[in-house]
Amino acid sequence: MTFRSLRPDSVHGRQAEARRNDLVVLEAARDVFSALGADAPVSAVADRAGVGIGTLYRRFGSKTELLQRLCVLAMEQAVAAADDALGTGDPWTGLAGYVRACVELRSGALAALAGQIETTAQMRAVARRSMTRLAEIVARAHRDGSLRPDVTALDVTWLIEQFSRRPPDHVDADEERNVRARLVSIALDGLRAQDGPRAGPTLPGRPPSRARYVRRWSSRS
């Protein structure tokens, strides 16, 4: 995955530097909020990113503006991964690559912020693009028979979100990557359509509700 639209070298000067700094802060925010939850202080994000808290507030003005910006960046990365997936000739390869890329990016790590901040028009617009592209990735894999028919786009979204979480205690980074890669492969095998004696039972319960998923982001403040 190349994430062409997010590479700092696609712009120049101060704009490129600002984008690089944003991505550093985004990575730090993913670490902090996935481990500590939505109540984690912005100072923890600044410490993790190696920048001063004053620097963050000079750039974003408020904690809410910072978190809104980080959510947009995270979703833009998911959209870029989806574009790469849709550009892949084989639908299953595209779907599997999308899942692996989003897990590696931890694109669902900021889900802890759902309902804690007001959503902006930009956040909603990028979210719609992301969900539309994922729906097409899933539809392609359904059409060619590589994805089990009872899997929905929201199943994939929730799967990525679960893999985006991190334990608060220290875990060896290399071992975590190794285990995560193995578990993602196991999960993908469960998503893939099987024929004959390997075909398993249908998924339990009902498909995830899009309305409930979107409603999580309604601010409760």
Side-chain angles (χ1 to χ4, degrees):
M1 295 294 175
T2 59
F3 309 112
R4 293 174 295 277
S5 63
L6 298 182
R7 282 167 44 188
D9 58 6
S10 64
V11 292
H12 303 283
R14 290 183 179 179
Q15 188 178 1
E17 182 179 0
R19 175 52 65 92
R20 281 191 292 268
N21 292 340
D22 283 354
L23 293 177
V24 169
V25 173
L26 174 58
E27 276 304 296
R30 283 170 166 153
D31 290 337
V32 170
F33 289 114
S34 63
L36 303 180
D39 293 331
V42 172
S43 59
V45 177
D47 289 344
R48 184 79 175 180
V51 300
I53 188 70
T55 300
L56 292 186
Y57 281 125
R58 280 194 299 274
R59 175 153 172 73
F60 297 101
S62 70
K63 177 180 179 179
T64 297
E65 289 180 20
L66 167 64
L67 299 181
Q68 289 167 336
R69 172 61 178 157
L70 294 177
C71 287
V72 168
L73 278 175
M75 289 187 290
E76 285 178 343
Q77 288 184 323
V79 169
D83 287 342
D84 282 348
L86 291 171
T88 301
D90 178 67
W92 175 256
T93 300
L95 172 62
Y98 173 81
V99 171
R100 289 192 171 99
C102 287
V103 168
E104 184 65 24
L105 286 166
R106 291 177 293 159
S107 64
L110 299 185
L113 301 176
Q116 306 302 312
I117 58 174
E118 182 180 355
T119 60
T120 65
Q122 185 182 20
M123 288 172 65
R124 293 189 292 273
V126 179
R128 285 193 294 271
R129 290 206 306 273
S130 180
M131 294 178 81
T132 298
R133 282 167 171 75
L134 175 55
E136 179 56 26
I137 292 169
V138 168
R140 288 203 318 157
H142 276 152
R143 285 195 295 268
D144 88 331
S146 58
L147 178 65
R148 55 185 298 165
D150 51 354
V151 170
T152 71
L154 271 179
D155 286 315
V156 176
T157 297
W158 278 108
L159 177 69
I160 291 167
E161 190 171 306
Q162 295 300 311
F163 274 110
S164 296
R165 297 176 179 177
R166 292 291 185 272
D169 56 314
H170 177 71
V171 179
D172 179 82
D174 288 338
E175 180 63 3
E176 183 187 21
R177 281 191 293 272
N178 173 64
V179 171
R180 188 167 64 248
R182 290 170 60 85
L183 294 180
V184 169
S185 291
I186 292 170
L188 286 170
D189 190 57
L191 293 179
R192 191 155 195 171
Q194 305 290 350
D195 297 321
R198 287 195 62 198
T202 59
L203 293 171
R206 60 185 183 278
S209 164
R210 177 176 176 133
R212 290 182 181 178
Y213 184 84
V214 172
R215 195 161 56 238
R216 290 190 311 158
W217 284 91
S218 298
S219 177
R220 293 189 290 270
S221 58

